[in-house]
């Protein structure tokens, strides 16, 4: 029995739901890198990086291969670049909307006057 598409998508997003995994994908954007270069860029124990790379590899998001004595990692498809770019755009739009709302909330309140309300206030004095 096959998995429904929405469930497969949810699993993929769960796989991406770890900061180290996202950082690895960002570092692989320009092209394949050996594990030693990834370790130099990410403040993490080698065993922890190995676990995160294994998760990405099992999910099919990255591939690995040997180049001489080095184990190289690369994005499995250029579509991963599109996904990272979309995430950046979405986050930017969300934060822009929040900044606008925050600025609006910090602006001193101006009483909203509707006809009749001002008249009612003056007539009661």
């Amino acid at each position: 029995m096959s998995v429904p598409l929405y469930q497969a998508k949810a699993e993929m997003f769960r796989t991406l739901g770890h900061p180290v995994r996202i950082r690895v994908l960002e570092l692989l954007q320009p092209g394949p890198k050996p594990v030693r270069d990834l370790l130099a860029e990410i403040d993490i124990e080698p065993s922890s990086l190995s676990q995160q790379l294994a998760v990405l590899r099992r999910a099919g998001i990255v591939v690995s291969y040997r180049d001489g004595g080095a184990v190289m990692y690369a994005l499995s498809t250029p579509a991963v670049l599109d996904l990272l770019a979309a995430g950046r755009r979405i986050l930017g739009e969300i934060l822009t909307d929040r900044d606008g709302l925050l600025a609006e909330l910090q602006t001193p309140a101006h009483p909203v006057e509707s006809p009749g309300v001002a008249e009612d206030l003056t007539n009661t004095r």
Side-chain angles (χ1 to χ4, degrees), residues 28-85:
L28 294 177
Q29 284 185 44
K33 286 199 182 328
V35 173
R36 69 175 175 272
D37 288 1
L38 296 173
L39 275 170
E41 294 286 334
I42 303 172
D43 186 26
I44 189 173
E45 293 294 320
S47 61
S48 295
L49 179 59
S50 178
Q51 289 173 350
Q52 300 307 327
L53 288 167
V55 170
L56 290 169
R57 199 174 54 246
R58 279 193 305 272
I61 297 170
V62 300
V63 293
S64 65
Y65 59 93
R66 286 206 170 271
D67 185 12
V71 177
M72 303 290 291
Y73 279 87
L75 301 176
S76 62
T77 173
V80 175
L81 296 173
D82 297 337
L83 181 62
L84 292 173

Side-chain angles (χ1 to χ4, degrees), residues 2-123:
S2 66
V3 175
L5 181 57
Y6 65 87
Q7 191 172 343
K9 285 180 185 178
E11 186 57 38
M12 180 190 66
F13 283 113
R14 269 193 295 277
T15 299
L16 297 174
H18 193 284
V20 170
R21 294 181 207 144
I22 294 296
R23 184 65 182 133
V24 165
L25 297 178
E26 290 172 345
L27 292 170
L28 294 177
Q29 284 185 44
K33 286 199 182 328
V35 173
R36 69 175 175 272
D37 288 1
L38 296 173
L39 275 170
E41 294 286 334
I42 303 172
D43 186 26
I44 189 173
E45 293 294 320
S47 61
S48 295
L49 179 59
S50 178
Q51 289 173 350
Q52 300 307 327
L53 288 167
V55 170
L56 290 169
R57 199 174 54 246
R58 279 193 305 272
I61 297 170
V62 300
V63 293
S64 65
Y65 59 93
R66 286 206 170 271
D67 185 12
V71 177
M72 303 290 291
Y73 279 87
L75 301 176
S76 62
T77 173
V80 175
L81 296 173
D82 297 337
L83 181 62
L84 292 173
R88 186 180 184 96
R89 283 191 311 275
I90 292 166
L91 187 57
E93 289 177 18
I94 290 169
L95 294 177
T96 298
D97 288 348
R98 286 183 185 166
D99 287 346
L101 181 58
L102 181 60
E104 190 176 324
L105 288 171
Q106 291 174 338
T107 303
H110 299 290
V112 177
E113 293 185 2
S114 62
V117 172
E119 291 173 8
D120 288 343
L121 291 175
T122 24
N123 290 337

